[in-house]
Amino acid sequence: MSTEDAVDTSRASVKTYVPAYQKTQWKEHADDLGMSQSEFVRTMVQAGRRGFGASPEEIENAPKGDSGTTDRTDTTAQQATNGAELGERVIALLQREGTLSWEDLVEALTDDIEERLDDTMAELQDESKVRYSGRHGGYTLSEDR
């Protein structure tokens, strides 16, 4: 679709049903990102479309909502579109382990991020970019950064 084509940018409602725990997770993630639930779901759907055959041009030229697209949502979408890598990891897990429940998949995939985060935090502390502050109850940027 070229940007010269007339596009209907009026809003339309989409309704779906998800388990309550999933809605809670989505709300928490949206809150963490400073996004509304609608903005979060729109961003994740658009990001996911890349993994289902929508071309980058189709995604890029899709009409934006009233709020447009911010750097934050672009970054979130980019992170979410690492689906090819994630998809490869899921396939490798299933080939190695056979059938896995949703919870087992999540656990297997998040274990990796915990290890990577631990290594990254150790590196950042070695480089004096971040430090752990017991007084503040967590990690903080180093003052001499």
Side-chain angles (χ1 to χ4, degrees), residues 16-17 21 26 32 59-60 70 83 87 100 102 117 122 130 133 145:
T16 187
Y17 294 90
Y21 78 89
W26 288 359
D32 290 346
I59 302 289
E60 181 62 32
T70 64
L100 291 172
W102 177 260
L117 179 59
V130 297
S133 169
R145 188 175 84 91

Side-chain angles (χ1 to χ4, degrees), residues 121 125 130-143:
M121 293 308 293
Q125 289 177 83
V130 297
R131 65 182 175 81
Y132 183 80
S133 169
R135 184 171 145 206
H136 293 104
Y139 292 94
T140 186
L141 292 175
S142 295
E143 292 157 9

Side-chain angles (χ1 to χ4, degrees), residues 13-45:
S13 168
V14 174
K15 189 172 188 174
T16 187
Y17 294 90
V18 297
Y21 78 89
Q22 190 171 48
K23 182 180 189 302
T24 300
Q25 289 174 340
W26 288 359
K27 178 163 181 11
E28 289 170 359
H29 196 176
D31 290 345
D32 290 346
L33 295 169
M35 301 168 87
S36 69
Q37 284 182 304
S38 292
E39 183 180 19
F40 176 79
V41 171
R42 271 194 311 273
T43 301
M44 294 301 109
V45 168

